[in-house]
Structure formats: structure tokens, C-alpha cells
Amino acid sequence: MSEVIVVTSGKGGVGKTTVTANIGCGLAMLGHKVVLVDADTGLRNLDVVLGMENRIVFDLTDVIEEKCRLRQALIKDRRFEELFMLPTAQTKDKSAVTAKDMQNICAQLREHFDYVIIDCPAGIEQGFQSAVAGAEKAIVVTVPEVAAVRDADRVVGLLEAKAEIHDPKLIINRLRVQMVQRGDMMTLEDMHDILGLELLGVIPDDERVVVATNRGEPVVTDEDSISGRAFRHIVRRMLGEPVPLMNFDHREGFLSRLRKIMGLG
Amino acid sequence: MLDFLARLLGRESPGSKDVAKERLRLVLVHDRADVSPQLLQLLKNDMVEVISKYMEIDEKGLDVTLERADNQVALVASIPVKKMKRVAHLA
């Protein structure tokens, strides 16, 4: 039974591509057959995040224009046997891929893969509408900031109205634990209250994500990093394992210790 | 300086996240109504049905909107009434 999942957010820059790459790698690490589809035509980035940018020959639009077969456009990952990526064109715009095209491509891909994961462009215009057209499930990525949460809420409404995708799962990216502790960043409960979505996981703000992306190696493969662990947990939750949410409160700052000592905490 | 000391000792004013949450809550009431105008339409239909049991109203003049005042969003309905019905009809 294969699944077609779109990773979306409304707002740009919240980590859709990073999330797509990491859950894809994470699923492949556990032996699942995965294909990641870059639907961000004109602003593709999944290739660089995965370190595959030098290996692209054909892309999604070539498949649509029948310049090549679907198989020829797929790029196989060098680390994981079961991981593939379908790049999109960098020199065309969003109108090169219609909703119908995406439905066709996704229908073909799901015959061969356990998971088809689509990296959606930012925005809610045609690019978004095409990207979600072939999907049956969605993951909404947000960061704990008002603009991103507002856009996430709008996207949830549009997923329902335009693509009949109900109950998307939420990933909260770049949570800054110290800011949460001093009351300057919304907590998981706050965002659950506001958006009312089931929480698939939380990724703490972590420099290792930047380092991993610099190298083109998704952080999920980094055994020691806290963000890598968070992504591995998300993958296990996607597979139905009841992994509890991470507790980020274990590292106490100097001030909160001082406060406790002084009996003010 | 006092402010700094207060913060150091953990007596600061509540964090900005509560402000964020409250602002989001209000703005999303409007956003959600915009995403699905059919929701307001369904509500209007139901209101007409219920109110018509008690009075004759001008359905064309019916106006239902969300209005924002300070810290809350209110559902404001303006419903022109043509005639009250007699209680006897309702029994």
C-alpha cells in the first residue's frame, strides 16, 4: 500500500525541502522504497539539499513533454538503495506542470514506490495547486512565528477545499527551546490549540541542519544530532509507532538554576 | 537597571508568546471565514430557518458578518423584520 504525501507550508523558508529530504532519507534508511518529487519548478532545491545537483539529466517537465521516460528522470541516491529523486526544471516556471500532470506522474510513481513525497512550492497559487493535486495526504510544516502559523492555517483550509486532503499532520520546525522557556516563543500546546492538527513532530533549531545541508547530507543520517533524532522519531511515527514527543527541557540554563536556588523558580 | 534586575530574578512581565497567540487567534477567525465563505452561507440559511419560525423577515436584507472589536471577534447579524408571528402559531 503506497502513500502519496505532499509537504507544504504556505509561507516560504520554513523548511519544506529540508523536511522532505529528511523524512525521505529516514524512510529509506528503514528499507522503504521512496521517491521524492520536487514540485518547485523554477526554484528547485531538493537536488542540492540531497547532494544530487550534479547528476540531473532529465526532469519532471521532460517527462511531461515526453522527451524521456519517467524512469530516466529518476535519480538514484548513492547512500540508500531505495531512495530516488525526481527533479523539476530550473529554467521553466510553474505553468509547465499542471494539476493533471502531477496526478498522472504520482499515479505512475505509486506503482513502484512505498512512499511518494512531494516538495511543494511556497504560496497558494498554481504551483501549490498542481503540487497537491496528486497527493492524498499532507504534512504541513511551520515555525513558531505568527506569520508562518497564519499561513499554515490557510493552507490547511485550502488543502481541504481544493484537494480534499483532510487532517494534515503538523511538523513544527526550528523550535528554540530557550525562547520557549522564557515565554517568548509559542509552545507545542499553543500551536496545537491554534491549528488543531495532530502533531507529527518537532525539530529543534539546530546548527547541525545547516552543516548537513552544506554538505548535501540530510541531518537524519547524523546519529549524534538532536535534529537528526527528531527526524528519525518523525519517520517512526509515520510508520505508526507511538514514539513520545521529545522533552527539550532537560538542559537548564544558568539563570533558571539560579532562580531555583533562590527559591523563585 | 531595576528592569534588568527584575528580569534576572525571573520577575519579568509575561513573555511575548501570549501576545502572539492572542493575535493569531483573532486573525484566524477572519482568515477561516474567508477560506470558506460557504460556512457563513450555511449559517445564514440555518438562521433564516430558525428565525422564520418566530417572525417574518426580509431574507434579501439579511447581513451576517464577522466584526472585530478590541480583543474579540463578534458575529454581527442585521435582520430586517417584517412582521411578528402570533404565539398561537408556535404551539
Side-chain angles (χ1 to χ4, degrees), chain A residues 150 153 183-184 190 194 264, chain B residues 11 15-17 21 31-32:
Chain A
R150 183 191 196 180
D153 189 80
D184 276 329
D190 291 335
I194 293 167
L264 296 164
Chain B
R11 293 274 170 84
S16 58
K17 72 110 173 174
K21 194 179 173 187
D31 285 3
R32 286 183 188 176

Side-chain angles (χ1 to χ4, degrees), chain B residues 17-84:
Chain B
K17 72 110 173 174
D18 291 324
V19 182
K21 194 179 173 187
E22 187 57 21
R23 290 176 58 221
L24 266 170
R25 194 179 62 75
L26 292 173
V27 82
L28 290 189
V29 174
H30 285 271
D31 285 3
R32 286 183 188 176
D34 283 344
V35 170
S36 91
Q38 66 263 43
L39 189 125
L40 274 186
Q41 189 54 50
L42 288 174
L43 174 67
K44 273 188 209 168
N45 297 348
D46 283 357
M47 284 171 72
V48 169
E49 196 181 312
V50 171
I51 295 166
S52 298
K53 276 168 60 181
Y54 302 89
M55 48 192 90
E56 241 175 67
I57 57 175
D58 175 13
E59 287 186 34
K60 283 191 208 112
L62 179 78
D63 183 34
V64 178
T65 50
L66 290 169
E67 279 181 20
R68 185 171 171 171
D70 295 330
N71 255 346
Q72 35 184 332
V73 177
L75 179 73
V76 180
S78 165
I79 309 167
V81 179
K82 284 183 183 163
K83 205 162 125 190
M84 290 300 288

